[in-house]
Amino acid sequence: MTSNRQPGVVLTDRHFTVPLDHTDPAGEQLEIYGREVVSSARAGAELPWLVYLEGGPGFGARRFVGKQAWLGRAVQEYRVLLLDQRGTGRSAPLNRQTLPLRGGPQAQAEHLARFRADSIVRDCETVRQRLTGGAPWTVLGQSFGGFCATHYLSTAPEGLRAVLVTGGLPSLNAGAEDVYRAAYPRIQRKAEAHYVRYPQDVERARRIAAHLAEHKTVLPGGYTLTPEAFQSLGILLGGGEGSHQLH
């Protein structure tokens, strides 16, 4: 383990080995990364654990500096584990380079099925046993992390002391299309508010979309930027500072 300090906190890199397929514990293994964060003032104390599950799906846990955002409140009473879910961040990667190595479309689909919420929860249970010695911990789930947290409640409640969910609470009786239809008017209002705030972005957005429609544009990472992909930047409007970041 490697530890270092930032303002008010001590950070420790932690690495765990888990089965790719939890029904085959002796089979292929994955490495999972987590960043432990504890208050400098309580670094040696016996504290309950809180594990943070990021949204996405597909995003690694955010890298806070010091006591940014909610982390400052959390370290008042918890030892926090910012967990990179399998396939994200510094955990074993799952991307356009690694997936073709699994074979054809069917083999790739079967491999992708090992990266759902059910596997993430079983990873958490493996990590929990190693960190807490079996004591339950608290889960904080953001967006897709909230979906993972509700799956956790359904399949391994004995591992949970408490569950905190921010934004990712699945419906009991609505499908994805119902959720999207309900979101469309809110998205429209967000976009219109952005253009009122930054009216110069109206012409910019139209010019960019027109260019992308007429010219194949490949980003440095090899990703082709299409008008539809450009539109997806609107996801930033869902955050408090997203309009400014988008501008």
Side-chain angles (χ1 to χ4, degrees):
M1 296 186 297
T2 302
S3 296
N4 54 73
R5 291 179 176 270
Q6 289 183 356
V9 296
V10 178
L11 311 178
T12 302
D13 292 333
R14 290 185 172 271
H15 301 268
F16 310 92
T17 301
V18 299
L20 170 65
D21 180 358
H22 281 275
T23 65
D24 181 20
E28 181 179 349
Q29 303 292 297
L30 297 177
E31 183 176 88
I32 302 296
Y33 169 80
R35 173 172 290 179
E36 175 189 333
V37 186
V38 64
S39 169
S40 300
R42 308 191 70 188
E46 289 291 330
L47 298 172
W49 281 87
L50 179 148
V51 60
Y52 173 65
L53 299 179
E54 185 60 90
F59 297 155
R62 60 197 70 189
R63 306 293 191 242
F64 295 105
V65 176
K67 295 182 177 182
Q68 282 183 312
W70 57 264
L71 189 61
R73 172 63 183 86
V75 296
Q76 292 179 20
E77 60 182 289
Y78 295 104
R79 191 175 295 270
V80 177
L81 183 68
L82 303 172
L83 188 67
D84 285 353
Q85 300 159 23
R86 55 170 56 200
T88 74
R90 289 176 59 185
S91 292
L94 177 68
N95 53 40
R96 65 185 180 86
Q97 285 83 23
T98 64
L99 199 54
L101 301 177
R102 295 288 168 171
Q106 183 62 38
Q108 292 181 31
E110 291 172 358
H111 184 64
L112 282 168
R114 302 299 180 196
F115 290 78
R116 302 178 308 202
D118 51 351
S119 294
I120 292 169
V121 168
R122 297 191 73 171
D123 290 345
C124 287
E125 278 296 273
T126 300
V127 171
R128 180 181 66 85
Q129 294 291 336
R130 297 176 189 175
L131 286 183
T132 75
W137 60 6
T138 295
V139 171
L140 170 58
Q142 156 63 16
S143 192
F144 173 70
F147 282 67
C148 294
T150 53
H151 186 87
Y152 211 146
L153 282 164
S154 298
T155 59
E158 67 280 359
L160 298 169
R161 180 173 179 241
V163 171
L164 311 171
V165 176
T166 60
L169 193 61
S171 171
L172 294 176
N173 52 23
E177 290 184 356
D178 300 310
V179 176
Y180 281 121
R181 288 192 188 99
Y184 291 151
R186 297 184 63 185
I187 294 169
Q188 181 177 353
R189 291 195 297 270
K190 291 276 190 178
E192 290 172 348
H194 173 79
Y195 287 135
V196 169
R197 182 178 295 113
Y198 294 111
Q200 64 270 46
D201 283 2
V202 175
E203 179 56 30
R204 286 176 178 165
R206 289 173 177 165
R207 186 154 41 91
I208 292 170
H211 176 87
L212 296 176
E214 298 172 2
H215 303 86
K216 182 176 181 180
T217 303
V218 181
L219 299 181
Y223 181 74
T224 299
L225 185 62
T226 63
E228 293 78 11
F230 171 62
Q231 286 179 305
S232 73
L233 291 175
I235 192 173
L236 290 169
L237 298 178
E241 299 177 354
S243 177
H244 311 299
Q245 294 172 353
L246 178 59
H247 172 69

